[in-house]
């Protein structure tokens, strides 16, 4: 079974500081894709960053970057220079075989609060 | 460009009733997926439609069904509602099936009394 685990239900960070959200996953597949989605309060979920498992280079999107450790099955999200608008639920997600299976598995989420 | 639109946004039903939720994907998006979000179970995949065909289905009972129309709009139906069906139902669209980038709607919040 493919599972995604986020061990930090809640986190907080001061504005302008850096925070890292953890995610581990379990799969026997070799080709898969990992994602971080953000769900702000009462707003729709949006994609933050995506990583293909076959790429060794960690993905980066502006202030958001990941630390992808394939052997350890770890996929953490680092948010630099945190802003108040980063306050949201963050979900780590996993998907295999995009062409035949659009079944994305989500972790339980981490509620991040950015404090002024 | 309009985003994913879900209707209704909120609804209240009683046990035993049925409900139909609607999702209009982003123009040009052909894949529509449905997810159930609850505090206890988190986000769970319901099913995915592409080109009017169900391509994949999650582990939900047959009371949960869906369909997709030729314009890519999708509906999901839940029959014989149970209290445990109370949840936020999220629809997500993607341009194709090979991106993994899902665009979510704001959801339909269903309360079953």
């Amino acid at each position: 079974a493919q599972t995604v685990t986020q061990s930090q239900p809640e986190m907080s960070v001061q504005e302008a500081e850096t925070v890292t959200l953890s995610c581990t996953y379990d799969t026997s597949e070799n080709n898969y894709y990992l994602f971080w989605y953000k769900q702000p309060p009462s707003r729709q979920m949006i994609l933050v960053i995506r990583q293909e498992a076959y790429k060794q280079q960690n993905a980066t999107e502006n202030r958001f970057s990941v630390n992808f450790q394939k052997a350890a099955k770890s996929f953490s999200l680092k948010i630099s220079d945190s802003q108040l608008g980063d306050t949201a639920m963050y979900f780590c997600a996993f998907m295999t075989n995009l062409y035949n299976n659009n079944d994305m598995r989500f972790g339980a989420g981490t509620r991040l609060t950015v404090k002024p | 460009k309009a985003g994913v639109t879900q209707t209704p946004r909120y609804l209240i039903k009683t046990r035993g009733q049925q409900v139909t939720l609607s999702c209009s994907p982003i123009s040009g998006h052909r894949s529509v997926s449905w997810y159930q979000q609850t505090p206890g179970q988190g986000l769970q995949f319901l099913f995915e439609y592409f080109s009017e065909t169900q391509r994949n289905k999650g582990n939900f009972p047959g009371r949960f069904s869906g369909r997709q129309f030729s314009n890519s709009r999708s509906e999901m139906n839940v029959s014989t509602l149970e209290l445990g069906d109370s949840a936020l139902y999220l629809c997500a669209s993607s341009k194709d099936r090979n991106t993994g980038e899902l665009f979510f709607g704001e959801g339909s919040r269903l309360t079953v009394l």
Side-chain angles (χ1 to χ4, degrees), chain A residues 37 39 50 98-99 101, chain B residues 31 37 48 56 97 99 102:
Chain A
Y37 276 87
Q39 187 176 38
R50 155 194 165 126
L98 289 176
Y99 284 91
N101 184 354
Chain B
S31 172
Q37 186 176 21
E48 183 226 352
N56 198 17
R97 303 191 73 234
T99 68
L102 302 180

Side-chain angles (χ1 to χ4, degrees), chain A residues 4 19 72 74 87:
Chain A
V4 180
V19 64
S74 170
T87 292

